[in-house]
Amino acid sequence: VQDPDNIEDVLNLTTKAMKLTRGKLVKQDDWDEWELSEFIQLDQYESQGMFGDPVPMNEPDKVFNLVWTYAIKELDQRKKSRCTMDGSAKAGKARILDHTYANCVEHTGARIFYAASAVENLAIYGADVSNAFGEAPPPKQGAFIRPDRAFINWWTKHKGRTTIPFGYVIPVLNAFQGHPEAPRLWEKHID
């Protein structure tokens, strides 16, 4: 809390989400809830037809690592796990074979839109799509993911499948969040 007599105080806020890693979460008493949130995320991807069957890794330049983020939703205190692929330039795997630009409203434009709508007493409607990019077709490059502990746990424990052999990867059959082409592919799909 800031001191009202000293306006130069800085409010430092550290959220729970900034500290959440799988390594820490597996040691907590509520790990079963976090594990379930991973299962829910991967079940959603599977229902979209995101993953193919494991195959031997023959094209290492097309294999991406998974990136997991964990958060507690403030509204209902629900535990949320989010899985994306690491398509960053630092990862060095993405070969851009098509345009990556996707339209989006910049922040100032969005604020002007909301302000003008409020002045005119207009209603604004919006929508959210779960795993939106997964509804779009895959990038031209094609991609595979390297199954990590969370994925393997989901595959064997939750789905009851046999262990994925060492050196095998999972084909990605749709656009996956994190790949540089995914936003454009989603925009084209939704249009």
Side-chain angles (χ1 to χ4, degrees):
V1 177
Q2 283 185 302
D3 179 358
D5 297 327
N6 185 357
I7 60 171
E8 294 181 10
D9 276 354
V10 175
L11 177 63
N12 291 311
L13 176 67
T14 303
T15 66
K16 292 178 185 177
M18 294 166 68
K19 299 179 183 178
L20 300 178
T21 64
R22 190 172 202 271
K24 291 178 183 177
L25 293 173
V26 297
K27 298 173 186 169
Q28 293 184 179
D29 293 337
D30 61 351
W31 166 242
D32 57 329
E33 295 175 53
W34 288 106
E35 183 180 49
L36 179 60
S37 73
E38 289 178 346
F39 293 165
I40 289 169
Q41 170 70 108
L42 293 169
D43 283 345
Q44 289 172 346
Y45 280 140
E46 185 177 53
S47 70
Q48 290 177 299
M50 180 67 75
F51 308 121
D53 292 328
V55 296
M57 179 175 37
N58 294 326
E59 302 177 75
D61 62 326
K62 295 182 180 182
V63 180
F64 295 83
N65 291 319
L66 294 174
V67 177
W68 287 88
T69 54
Y70 301 91
I72 298 174
K73 293 294 192 172
E74 287 301 319
L75 186 62
D76 59 4
Q77 296 301 300
R78 180 172 40 99
K79 292 169 174 61
K80 173 89 174 165
S81 298
R82 188 76 180 131
C83 179
T84 61
M85 74 165 44
D86 186 358
S88 68
K90 187 171 30 172
K93 301 289 184 185
R95 307 289 183 259
I96 309 305
L97 302 176
D98 210 338
H99 300 287
T100 60
Y101 175 78
N103 291 319
C104 65
V105 178
E106 51 94 21
H107 188 70
T108 303
R111 292 181 71 172
I112 291 170
F113 169 75
Y114 293 127
S117 298
V119 166
E120 296 293 325
N121 199 29
L122 299 173
I124 300 171
Y125 298 93
D128 188 14
V129 178
S130 294
N131 301 324
F133 294 159
E135 298 293 331
K140 287 183 180 179
Q141 174 189 8
F144 301 86
I145 56 169
R146 182 174 290 108
D148 62 4
R149 286 183 186 165
F151 190 94
I152 291 169
N153 185 45
W154 168 77
W155 187 268
T156 57
K157 180 179 179 180
H158 182 65
K159 300 309 264 184
R161 298 174 178 149
T162 58
T163 303
I164 300 169
F166 180 77
Y168 277 55
V169 293
I170 308 298
V172 177
L173 306 177
N174 296 339
F176 202 132
Q177 185 172 347
H179 193 283
E181 289 183 42
R184 183 195 55 80
L185 292 166
W186 163 248
E187 181 184 12
K188 185 176 179 182
H189 173 73
I190 197 67
D191 281 351

